[in-house]
Amino acid sequence: MKPKFRFAEKALQKIKKENLYRQLRYGRVCGPHITIGKKKLLNLCSNDYLGLSARSPIHIQMQSSSRSVSGNDILFKDLEDKLASHKSQRGALVFPTGYMANLGAVSALAGNEDLILSDELNHASIIEACRLCRAKTLVYKHNDTDDLLKKIKSNSAKTKFVITEGIFSMDGDYARLDEIAEITEKCGAVLMVDDAHGDFAVGDDGKGTAHLFGVAKKVDVYTSSLSKALGSFGGYVASEKSAIDLCVNRARSFIYTSALPAFLADASLRRLSLDRTPNQKKLQKNAFRLREGLKKSGYAINTKTHIVPLIIGDEKKTLEFGRYLYENGVFAQPIRYPTVPKKSARIRVSVTARLTDTQIENALDVFERAGRKFRAF
Ligand SMILES: Cc1ncc(COP(=O)(O)O)c(C=O)c1O
């Protein structure tokens, strides 16, 4: 070790002491399984909710330039038109990832004279975006519309933005979008919904969480990922034409980076044209089966979605719990601080449409044994 890097060694020692050390594991995903070394496990931490990711694109052309220079393949026009219509918005803009879509959209639309109200459990990319745009940011208690209302009324900024996820990525609960939309309408605030986990997965034709709640038209700006239920890659923003134009002109994570390779836009277009309803129905059925099975074992399950966290609390115990699952053929990752608050470590189980009834029953059997061994219920 170079002596100059003692600071890194010290920081890592602290992380390890707190049981928060992360180590990358190499594996290969194939269907509903993941192979790590010689071990084949049931993959219960995939975001390929509808099982569409294995459909291969046919035309591969890498991009070597920004969208604003020469990387603006004609396929983006078609994809953005289709995404705008998918979200019933006037325009859409594709970014290389969902993370970059959040950074770009929030920093392009909100400035230092504005106010942002952000749910306390919002994704890291939203938190970064709020810092980046320099708007005053007030964090409201998770899904607490009384707290949101109190905080939104406490400030007289010219433009107010409320930002929430549609389905919360680590807790799996729905945002109270009906109540939140009522508040933003009353207060004239801009409602932004990051629906990375609900988009393409819930609502008629996979139109997302706001559609499921009947408030799709009240959402002003959507951000989402193409890398989850659509089984493709990339991120996007959908909104009014003027907001999209502002992103093209101001969003640094759009302007100062290479465009998404066009073959990935093509992959998204192909998946968008599929009839995804059978996969969506299977996803709902599988999620229901898993949630009910876990409840029957004694787990406290509060979500109604395909993201089912098993909250263990203690970080060390959660790591041991995860290791037990791994040894018994189930891959479901322990999630710890800073992704979730300290002492609320959990196993985040995500369901996909690929799982068979037998695979779910086998996984439930392992979860039941793990729950008893670690006194998780
Ligand atoms: C709520 C939320 N928003 C945005 C993202 C980022 O999406 P992407 O993986 O496309 O960068 C994620 C990724 O996990 C997420 O959970």
Side-chain angles (χ1 to χ4, degrees), residues 64-328:
S64 57
S65 176
S66 159
R67 292 270 313 265
S68 34
V69 186
S70 62
N72 202 25
D73 194 281
I74 186 74
L75 283 174
F76 286 116
K77 164 98 181 73
D78 196 10
L79 178 57
E80 286 166 351
D81 286 349
K82 289 203 165 71
L83 289 170
S85 129
H86 165 68
K87 299 314 271 182
S88 307
Q89 296 285 325
R90 290 180 200 274
L93 191 67
V94 170
F95 285 68
T97 65
Y99 194 107
M100 292 163 91
N102 272 334
L103 286 192
V106 176
S107 60
L109 302 179
N112 56 6
E113 292 182 355
D114 302 325
L115 174 74
I116 295 178
L117 289 305
S118 177
D119 187 288
E120 72 175 318
L121 294 190
N122 274 345
H123 188 253
S125 55
I126 301 174
I127 298 170
E128 281 311 306
C130 293
R131 289 180 186 145
L132 195 64
C133 75
R134 298 201 187 109
K136 181 177 168 71
T137 300
L138 298 178
V139 174
Y140 64 90
K141 287 187 204 140
H142 176 52
N143 238 343
D144 184 334
T145 44
D146 290 335
D147 195 38
L148 169 62
L149 192 59
K150 195 174 88 197
K151 291 194 162 119
I152 206 169
K153 282 183 171 167
S154 72
N155 189 292
S156 59
K158 214 165 58 192
T159 312
K160 297 176 184 178
F161 295 83
V162 174
I163 312 182
T164 178
E165 293 186 28
I167 294 177
F168 284 87
S169 57
M170 293 300 140
D171 287 61
D173 53 339
Y174 288 113
R176 297 204 167 119
L177 280 186
D178 42 357
E179 293 173 39
I180 295 174
E182 207 181 304
I183 292 174
T184 49
E185 229 184 11
K186 241 190 230 158
C187 301
V190 176
L191 175 55
M192 292 184 76
V193 176
D194 171 354
D195 206 18
H197 295 277
D199 206 9
F200 309 107
V202 303
D204 287 349
D205 200 23
K207 284 182 183 297
T209 311
H211 197 271
L212 186 72
F213 278 74
V215 294
K217 291 216 169 85
K218 295 184 180 172
V219 175
D220 302 296
V221 184
Y222 286 98
T223 56
S224 183
S225 173
L226 300 167
S227 316
K228 305 198 189 293
L230 193 65
S232 181
F233 196 88
Y236 74 95
V237 181
S239 184
E240 281 293 298
K241 285 253 190 251
S242 56
I244 296 301
D245 210 14
L246 209 49
C247 288
V248 170
N249 283 277
R250 270 197 194 160
R252 295 166 74 86
S253 60
F254 177 82
I255 302 168
Y256 299 106
T257 193
S258 298
L260 187 77
F263 79 89
L264 291 170
D266 185 47
S268 292
L269 278 166
R270 284 167 194 277
R271 285 157 178 77
L272 273 173
S273 66
L274 291 173
D275 174 14
R276 300 178 307 274
T277 309
N279 305 55
Q280 228 189 299
K281 283 194 176 141
K282 184 80 194 316
L283 171 64
Q284 304 311 334
K285 194 170 144 256
N286 282 354
F288 181 78
R289 200 181 188 104
L290 187 96
R291 289 193 313 260
E292 291 307 304
L294 288 168
K295 277 186 210 164
K296 225 163 113 191
S297 294
Y299 285 99
I301 303 296
N302 298 316
T303 79
K304 296 188 171 69
T305 71
H306 45 279
I307 298 173
V308 188
L310 308 178
I311 316 273
I312 312 290
D314 181 68
E315 282 78 18
K316 190 157 176 269
K317 193 168 156 188
T318 309
L319 285 176
E320 285 163 6
F321 195 109
R323 207 167 301 127
Y324 180 88
L325 297 178
Y326 181 85
E327 280 159 8
N328 286 278

